C-alpha cells in the first residue's frame, strides 16, 4: 500500500532522512516538504489507517492533506506495530502527512 508519510531525521551525519516504519519496499522523498511516499506492506497497516489513506488519497509530495491525520490513528498504528513486532516499549511512530 502506497502511503504518504512524514520524514524524520535531520539529513546530516548519523541522522539521515527516513520514514518511521520497520519495513517498506520503496521510498520516494521530498526533503523540502518533509514528506515521502512509502510502499508499506499491507500486513503492517491496520484497517483504520488503510481506510483513512483510501478516504484522503494524495497524488504528490507537496499538497497538504485536506484533513490532518488524527493523533488517535497515529497512536493506534504505533501500538499495532509494537504488537506485531513484539517490541514492548520500543515503538515506531509513523504519521500520514
Amino acid at each position: 500500500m502506497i502511503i504518504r508519510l512524514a520524514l524524520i531525521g535531520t539529513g546530516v551525519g548519523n541522522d539521515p532522512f527516513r520514514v518511521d516504519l520497520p519495513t517498506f519496499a520503496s521510498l520516494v522523498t521530498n526533503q523540502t516538504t518533509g514528506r515521502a511516499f512509502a510502499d508499506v506492506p499491507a500486513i503492517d497497516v491496520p484497517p483504520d489507517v488503510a481506510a483513512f489513506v483510501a478516504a484522503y488519497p494524495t497524488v504528490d509530495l507537496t499538497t497538504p492533506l485536506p484533513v490532518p491525520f488524527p493523533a488517535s490513528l497515529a497512536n493506534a498504528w504505533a501500538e499495532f506495530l509494537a504488537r506485531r513486532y513484539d517490541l514492548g516499549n520500543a515503538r515506531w511512530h509513523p504519521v500520514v502527512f
Side-chain angles (χ1 to χ4, degrees), residues 4 8 14 29 33 36 40 46 56 69 74 77 81 84 86:
R4 191 174 78 178
I8 61 170
N14 292 339
T29 65
T33 63
V40 183
Y56 303 103
F69 188 60
W77 198 1
L81 289 171
R84 174 156 159 58
D86 195 24

Side-chain angles (χ1 to χ4, degrees), residues 6-7 15 24 65 69 97:
L7 288 173
D15 191 26
F24 51 89
L65 285 173
F69 188 60
F97 184 56

Side-chain angles (χ1 to χ4, degrees), residues 1 3-5 20-21 44-56 65 67-83 91-97:
M1 168 176 264
I3 301 177
R4 191 174 78 178
L5 299 164
D20 203 6
L21 282 173
D44 282 351
V45 182
D48 51 352
V49 173
F52 181 89
V53 170
Y56 303 103
L65 285 173
V67 177
F69 188 60
S72 60
L73 281 183
N75 292 335
W77 198 1
E79 293 293 328
F80 177 86
L81 289 171
R83 284 191 307 276
R91 295 197 171 104
W92 286 276
H93 297 281
V95 175
V96 176
F97 184 56

Side-chain angles (χ1 to χ4, degrees), residues 6-33:
L7 288 173
I8 61 170
T10 61
V12 295
N14 292 339
D15 191 26
F17 289 118
R18 61 199 179 280
V19 292
D20 203 6
L21 282 173
T23 60
F24 51 89
S26 63
L27 190 66
V28 176
T29 65
N30 182 323
Q31 292 143 3
T32 303
T33 63

